[in-house]
Amino acid sequence: MQDRAGSFPHNGRSIGARPVLTSLLRGAAQKCPACGKGAMFRRYLKVVDACLHCGEELHHHRADDAPPYFTIVIVGHIVVGLVLAVEMAYRPPLWVHAALWLPLTLILALTVLPIVKGALVALQWALLMHGFDPDAEEGIGDGLPDVDPSPLPRRLDFWP
Ligand SMILES: [Zn+2]
């Protein structure tokens, strides 16, 4: 289960070097950024709570809307470039454009999305973002807002 004995003293968060480029490549390959062997996703885009190979916790990620944004940018640049190139070279009718680019856009988006999400989760892990920092106290960096323990006033005394 754990291939680095003693490297998880902080509740499933490894200590030691976290090289950004290696982590990014592992994440883009949809593998655990820590060991590069365990799968990052248990379903299409569902990140595992912890790596099944090394035990690194991955549930701290906060990818949120970033993977779709980057996927749109990447796929948009590819498809728009191809559309313009084909239009300039062949000037096909509109139905040919629709038949080509709609399926290509869908296939590319569904292919690129998990790659981008894996890379972003790995980047957050490598940069110790959110709860990935092994030195962070529990509850810090988990993305949840701090709660003010003082109670709100029952009423406001605007009037004398
Ligand atoms: Zn792992």
Side-chain angles (χ1 to χ4, degrees):
M1 181 89 180
Q2 182 176 330
D3 61 351
R4 293 178 295 168
S7 62
F8 290 96
H10 298 282
N11 301 324
R13 288 175 285 190
S14 64
I15 58 175
R18 296 185 181 195
V20 173
L21 183 59
T22 303
S23 301
L24 268 176
L25 293 175
R26 288 174 174 171
Q30 300 165 46
K31 298 292 183 187
C32 167
C35 68
K37 295 176 182 166
M40 179 174 286
F41 300 110
R42 65 173 180 249
R43 287 186 308 210
Y44 177 58
L45 290 175
K46 197 73 176 175
V47 177
V48 295
D49 289 336
C51 174
L52 295 176
H53 187 266
C54 70
E56 180 74 28
E57 288 185 354
L58 299 174
H59 65 86
H60 302 292
H61 80 88
R62 293 291 307 269
D64 298 333
D65 293 340
Y69 291 149
F70 287 111
T71 300
I72 290 169
V73 169
I74 294 167
V75 172
H77 279 81
I78 294 171
V79 172
V80 169
L82 288 173
V83 168
L84 292 176
V86 168
E87 176 63 22
M88 296 298 288
Y90 304 107
R91 299 203 181 275
L94 283 179
W95 70 266
V96 172
H97 278 298
L100 286 175
W101 311 125
L102 292 178
L104 178 68
T105 303
L106 183 65
I107 292 167
L108 274 178
L110 293 176
T111 303
V112 170
L113 188 55
I115 296 170
V116 169
K117 183 168 183 175
L120 284 170
V121 171
L123 182 66
Q124 292 176 1
W125 177 84
L127 298 179
L128 305 175
M129 294 172 71
H130 312 301
F132 286 122
D133 186 353
D135 295 328
E137 295 177 27
E138 284 298 319
I140 294 179
D142 58 3
L144 300 174
D146 294 334
V147 177
D148 184 6
S150 62
L152 294 173
R154 290 281 180 204
R155 65 184 179 90
L156 299 174
D157 291 325
F158 288 126
W159 311 107

